[in-house]
Amino acid sequence: MTEATTTKIHWNGGVQGEAINILKEDGGMIVSPTKVGYIIMTSDDKGLERKFAAKNRKRNKPGVVLCGSVEQVKELALMTPEIEQMYQQHWDEDILLGCILPWKEEAKSKIPNDGTKNLMMDKRETSCFVIKFGTPSENIAKEMWEKYGKFSFASSANPSGKGNRGLVAGIGDQIENAADLIIEADDYVASIQPDKTLDTRYEQGVMVSMVDETGKLIPQQNGAVGIQPAPIVIRKGLDVDKIMKIMSDIFSSWDYRHGFYY
């Protein structure tokens, strides 16, 4: 699409119907606000292909699956009771969290048989399942899943090698021109980190790996010390201090290795 035909609207404060109409059709791609900035949202292989093209992005990272409830995470991903507890506590406290998890075998059958699987999992068949990423996009992901049975996949709406700084003007011309719809909510994004400047604000959420190097789920710890492999914080971000406090309450052992991606 050309710049002239990319629709830009301000978030309506609820479920953005225009976004649902685009994403429930084949190949839809929108830009939507989150707690840490703007993301590209898609729901199928055609949309994912458009996302990779718009971002010039490599395909070696696990895809981000936006989940509108803890129940959705439980339905899709393998988890230990401790990991479920972690998700529930973050949900209850409205804290953005993303964990690298394996897919349940029965959940893989829910993935459209159109090439989507190869674009939203890594070679280990893991994805990053994210909750509490921000009301505008949460509302969309929840309705897409519960009403239409469609996934919501995400990637930051950043020009290559740059952040969008939480401003819709920062997504860059290439992404702006490629999207079918842009939902602007700079005021919402700014409200999440009111004490931060453009230079000190977090532009991403915390990511925790809950799998070993082969993609197998980490073991239950049951309070024992030194159980390995253990959770690894592989990316710091918004509310990292709160997340590490919760992890310390649930897990006896976990590691902090920012930048230790996949």
Side-chain angles (χ1 to χ4, degrees):
M1 301 183 74
T2 64
E3 187 172 1
T5 57
T6 300
T7 302
K8 186 183 293 183
I9 56 178
H10 185 73
W11 177 44
N12 64 11
V15 180
Q16 200 77 47
E18 298 94 328
I20 301 294
N21 290 338
I22 289 168
L23 291 175
K24 71 181 183 182
E25 302 298 331
D26 286 349
M29 186 179 92
I30 70 165
V31 172
S32 185
T34 71
K35 290 177 177 177
V36 287
Y38 288 87
I39 58 170
I40 296 170
M41 289 182 68
T42 59
S43 63
D44 57 23
D45 67 323
K46 296 185 184 71
L48 286 165
E49 288 285 5
R50 289 179 64 192
K51 177 205 75 169
F52 284 114
K55 289 193 63 170
N56 303 320
R57 183 172 180 175
K58 294 179 181 178
R59 306 181 180 214
N60 62 330
K61 296 183 178 181
V64 172
V65 182
L66 301 177
C67 295
S69 67
V70 174
E71 289 67 33
Q72 185 181 355
V73 183
K74 291 179 180 178
E75 188 175 345
L76 300 178
L78 284 171
M79 292 190 284
T80 64
E82 289 165 342
I83 298 171
E84 288 188 14
Q85 179 186 346
M86 183 168 164
Y87 266 97
Q88 189 63 57
Q89 191 163 343
H90 284 77
W91 182 272
D92 293 343
E93 297 183 27
D94 193 22
I95 299 171
L96 168 62
L97 175 70
C99 294
I100 308 291
L101 294 165
W103 283 73
K104 286 183 173 178
E105 280 303 320
E106 58 269 30
K108 292 177 186 176
S109 64
K110 301 177 186 293
I111 302 170
N113 188 25
D114 58 7
T116 296
K117 178 179 175 182
N118 294 331
L119 297 175
M120 42 67 61
M121 290 183 187
D122 61 7
K123 292 179 180 178
R124 306 174 306 177
E125 296 198 337
T126 68
S127 295
C128 183
F129 296 86
V130 183
I131 59 166
K132 288 297 180 179
F133 37 92
T135 308
S137 298
E138 283 178 51
N139 289 347
I140 295 169
K142 183 176 177 65
E143 179 146 332
M144 287 292 294
W145 179 252
E146 295 182 356
K147 194 169 182 179
Y148 300 101
K150 296 199 72 169
F151 293 100
S152 293
F153 305 120
S155 187
S156 56
N158 297 342
S160 184
K162 301 178 181 178
N164 59 54
R165 307 192 137 227
L167 302 170
V168 75
I171 66 174
D173 291 342
Q174 186 168 341
I175 291 173
E176 181 171 337
N177 295 343
D180 301 320
L181 175 73
I182 298 169
I183 303 171
E184 178 273 322
D186 286 354
D187 52 349
Y188 171 81
V189 179
S191 75
I192 303 299
Q193 300 181 75
D195 57 335
K196 301 290 187 180
T197 68
L198 287 179
D199 294 319
T200 62
R201 66 183 298 277
Y202 281 114
E203 296 207 334
Q204 56 195 10
V206 171
M207 192 179 290
V208 182
S209 174
M210 296 293 188
V211 297
D212 66 14
E213 292 180 358
T214 68
K216 184 181 177 182
L217 189 68
I218 62 169
Q220 178 88 353
Q221 294 188 1
N222 295 316
V225 177
I227 301 294
Q228 291 290 331
I232 305 172
V233 177
I234 59 174
R235 192 175 76 185
K236 68 180 177 180
L238 181 69
D239 288 336
V240 64
D241 50 343
K242 295 179 183 177
I243 291 169
M244 291 195 296
K245 168 64 168 64
I246 292 171
M247 290 180 67
S248 296
D249 290 340
I250 297 173
F251 301 99
S252 298
S253 301
W254 55 270
D255 296 327
Y256 178 88
R257 302 185 203 169
H258 174 69
F260 189 71
Y261 297 129
Y262 337 120

